[in-house]
Amino acid sequence: MKLFFGTTKAQSTPKDAIISLRENISMLEKRETHLQSKIEQELAKARDYATRNKMAALAALKRKKMLETQVEKISGSRLMLESQVMTIEAANVNLETMKAMQTGAEAMKGIHKDLNVDKVDETMDEIREQMDLANEISDAISQPQLFGAELDEDELNAELEELEQEVLDKKLLDAEHAPMVLPNAPATSVGQQGQRQQPQPQQQQRQQAAAVSDEDDELAELRESMGMAA
């Protein structure tokens, strides 16, 4: 079968094609440089024979013209190959870009295989429910409770007022029956001893008022520690 159809040529890759084209472009550039050198030589001969040998000068100009025609053809071929190189490079970039995009699309499909909008919404609802439950538990824990006993605020306030009155009455009673202690005075004459001053009634009233004020402060602190309004 190979005798009739020949061997199957392996398909070249973009990289192989670019390498081959660049090699041909390099060969054409060298050929063009060589022809340009010969053109300059023929032009120099034509100038040399212009005044001495007209036939030789015309022959040199003809060879120069043919060489210039070859240079133009080679230049056109080289531009064509360079255009193919740029086209293949651009196509190869597009191919690699498409492959990368396909890979990304496959990855996204794998990620979203078991994920959809309904599952996301369901998960978010569960998260919100658990957060609400956590807040309710936190609020319940942060509020102190006296388990097994329901407190009546009015009853507690009345009992506290009774205690206040009881303490005030006791303070006033103690202040009325407290013995008066006077400091020992230095020995003086009998006349001076007779002139010792006794506490004035106004001074006793100020002392009693100060004792009542101290008691009010203590009761206020007691109420504050029990968390009750005055």
Side-chain angles (χ1 to χ4, degrees), residues 42 45-47 49-51 53-62:
E42 295 299 331
K45 289 179 182 180
R47 287 175 181 173
Y49 292 131
T51 56
N53 189 344
K54 189 174 182 181
M55 295 296 295
L58 289 174
L61 289 175
K62 288 180 181 179

Side-chain angles (χ1 to χ4, degrees), residues 134-192:
N135 291 331
E136 292 177 2
I137 293 174
S138 178
D139 293 340
I141 292 175
S142 63
Q143 295 178 358
Q145 298 291 337
L146 296 178
F147 299 100
E150 296 182 358
L151 301 180
D152 188 351
E153 295 292 336
D154 295 335
E155 183 179 352
L156 291 176
N157 288 328
E159 184 176 355
L160 180 59
E161 291 178 359
E162 292 179 0
L163 291 175
E164 290 178 358
Q165 189 62 41
E166 182 180 348
V167 172
L168 290 175
D169 294 341
K170 185 175 183 303
K171 289 288 184 180
L172 292 175
L173 183 62
D174 292 341
E176 291 177 356
H177 295 82
M180 186 177 299
V181 180
L182 297 177
N184 294 328
T188 55
S189 62
V190 176
Q192 292 177 347

Side-chain angles (χ1 to χ4, degrees), residues 197-220:
Q197 297 181 355
Q198 301 295 329
Q200 299 296 327
Q202 294 181 354
Q203 184 176 2
Q204 292 179 356
Q205 293 178 358
R206 284 195 299 269
Q207 291 176 353
Q208 292 176 358
V212 172
S213 177
D214 293 338
E215 185 60 28
D216 290 339
D217 293 338
E218 293 177 358
L219 290 174

Side-chain angles (χ1 to χ4, degrees), residues 11-21:
Q11 185 177 1
S12 62
T13 62
K15 182 178 180 181
D16 295 335
I18 291 173
I19 292 174
S20 177
L21 288 171

Side-chain angles (χ1 to χ4, degrees), residues 44-96:
K45 289 179 182 180
R47 287 175 181 173
D48 185 42
Y49 292 131
T51 56
R52 294 186 298 108
N53 189 344
K54 189 174 182 181
M55 295 296 295
L58 289 174
L61 289 175
K62 288 180 181 179
R63 289 191 296 271
K64 171 181 170 294
K65 188 65 175 178
M66 289 187 293
L67 291 172
E68 288 177 347
T69 302
Q70 291 184 13
V71 169
E72 289 178 359
K73 292 180 180 180
I74 291 174
S75 178
S77 298
R78 182 169 58 83
L79 290 176
M80 180 64 68
L81 293 178
E82 290 176 348
S83 176
Q84 284 185 326
V85 170
M86 289 187 291
T87 302
I88 293 174
E89 288 178 344
N92 190 43
V93 170
N94 293 335
L95 177 61
E96 295 299 328

